[in-house]
Amino acid sequence: MAFLKTQNDINWHYEIEGEGLPLLFLHGWGVDSRIWRQQSKYFSLKYQVITLDLPGHGQSSWQECSLLDIAKGGWEVLEQLGLESVRIAGSSLGGLVGLKMFEVNPSRVNTLSFIGSQPKFVQSEQHPYGLPLKQIQRLGQQLETDYPSIIHIFFRSLFTIDERKTRRFKWIQKFRNIEEIPTREALSGLLAILGEADLREVLRGVDIPVQFINGTEDMICPPALFDSFKESLPQARFDWFEKCGHFPFLTKPHEVNHVLEKFLVSTEAEKEKC
């Protein structure tokens, strides 16, 4: 296991596989970097794949922190690894962290791929997408009374009925049974970040290649949300997976790997032309 400590006293667990252009994968709330197993195995054949455990998840330690602290910590880890620029792919909360990393150091992010992710996860009058604030608050209360079972219940709810019937989902459930559960404090802290963060203006200002990978049945990131991105992000690519929920890269890993690779290869080709 590899670890690096940052200035905010968080000991970050990371893994590196392969050689080539750096590609960073950032996981979501309630899971850890092992969730990227199928992506690490595939992309490490052509890229230098870096996976991080977010604070309090997996093997990374926990300190109370903000989204900005996490983004800066991510950059500290990359700097200690000698990486000047990176391609970022983030799932759910991981996409939000990746977008914040872009805001902190925009010139050092080559591409952004959001997988079941968006810049604001809580619904509002002007933003009727994501989760109702009451649902996030209720989830926070359940962490105090039903931890850790509520994590498994919430995770399962993010898959469609069709996905839950597949062999792949049975493997995912078996795999999760051997995972270490994130600390209650970390789950509460990062849930608060999900409830407060609004990076819509940051996303509108993104001027690098952007990709959105989503399931058509994702209740947190519904298709209608992404129509609003097309005008402000003309360079964006949108890839949809039918009958998939919040984690298409878990239930259809090969298909997601294909569209992510196609996006990365095309952006490198465009860069060489310039």
Side-chain angles (χ1 to χ4, degrees):
M1 294 184 184
F3 295 88
L4 285 171
K5 183 169 285 191
T6 53
Q7 291 182 8
N8 57 3
D9 207 33
I10 291 175
N11 204 27
W12 291 72
H13 171 247
Y14 71 94
E15 297 289 344
I16 295 182
E17 295 183 59
E19 297 180 356
L21 299 173
L23 174 59
L24 173 65
F25 286 96
L26 297 168
H27 66 80
W29 184 84
V31 292
D32 63 52
S33 60
R34 288 175 293 180
I35 205 169
W36 297 114
R37 177 179 292 184
Q38 293 298 317
Q39 285 66 48
S40 295
K41 181 179 179 181
Y42 181 83
F43 285 99
S44 62
L45 297 176
K46 297 180 181 179
Y47 293 85
Q48 183 181 32
V49 174
I50 307 101
T51 55
L52 292 178
D53 284 338
L54 294 181
H57 289 59
Q59 300 297 313
S60 291
S61 65
W62 170 251
Q63 293 285 341
E64 187 174 346
C65 53
S66 64
L67 182 59
L68 179 59
D69 293 330
I70 296 172
K72 287 182 175 179
W75 280 121
E76 280 190 63
V77 171
L78 295 179
E79 287 165 2
Q80 291 185 56
L81 293 174
L83 302 176
E84 295 185 0
S85 63
V86 70
R87 292 136 198 83
I88 298 177
S91 163
S92 198
L93 171 62
L96 200 65
V97 173
L99 185 55
K100 193 67 178 181
M101 289 179 69
F102 170 83
E103 183 182 29
V104 172
N105 279 311
S107 64
R108 297 176 62 184
V109 180
N110 300 111
T111 65
L112 279 170
S113 294
F114 300 93
I115 307 175
S117 188
Q118 62 155 308
K120 185 180 187 298
F121 278 85
V122 175
Q123 296 177 6
S124 63
E125 187 175 344
Q126 297 78 27
H127 183 79
Y129 311 107
L131 294 170
L133 180 58
K134 288 184 178 180
Q135 185 174 346
I136 290 183
Q137 292 172 337
R138 183 168 63 250
L139 184 56
Q141 294 168 355
Q142 290 171 321
L143 285 174
E144 298 301 319
T145 58
D146 300 323
Y147 171 86
S149 62
I150 189 60
I151 307 305
H152 298 293
I153 295 171
F154 179 73
F155 181 79
R156 189 175 188 277
S157 73
L158 299 178
F159 294 85
T160 67
I161 294 175
D162 288 334
E163 285 177 311
R164 293 177 209 162
K165 295 177 182 178
T166 64
R167 290 184 180 179
R168 183 69 191 169
F169 185 72
K170 291 179 180 178
W171 179 88
I172 293 167
Q173 290 292 78
K174 183 178 179 180
F175 175 67
R176 277 188 59 79
N177 288 336
I178 63 172
E179 280 188 350
E180 294 188 17
I181 303 299
T183 66
R184 193 200 313 254
E185 294 78 14
L187 290 167
S188 295
L190 297 190
L191 190 62
I193 288 174
L194 277 172
E196 298 168 359
D198 183 354
L199 298 185
R200 286 178 293 172
E201 285 302 315
V202 177
L203 181 62
R204 292 188 187 103
V206 170
D207 56 359
I208 61 173
V210 180
Q211 178 184 34
F212 296 94
I213 300 174
N214 295 282
T216 58
E217 307 301 317
D218 187 350
M219 296 181 294
I220 298 177
C221 300
L225 162 66
F226 298 93
D227 290 336
S228 63
F229 295 163
K230 292 179 180 179
E231 184 175 346
S232 59
L233 295 169
Q235 80 280 26
R237 171 181 171 132
F238 300 86
D239 290 288
W240 294 97
F241 290 88
E242 297 293 330
K243 298 182 179 180
C244 284
H246 199 54
F247 299 109
F249 70 98
L250 285 176
T251 54
K252 293 188 176 180
H254 305 301
E255 295 88 338
V256 169
N257 289 351
H258 174 73
V259 299
L260 176 54
E261 181 180 32
K262 190 173 182 179
F263 168 71
L264 294 171
V265 170
S266 66
T267 57
E268 289 303 319
E270 287 297 321
K271 188 176 180 181
E272 288 180 5
K273 288 181 182 179
C274 297

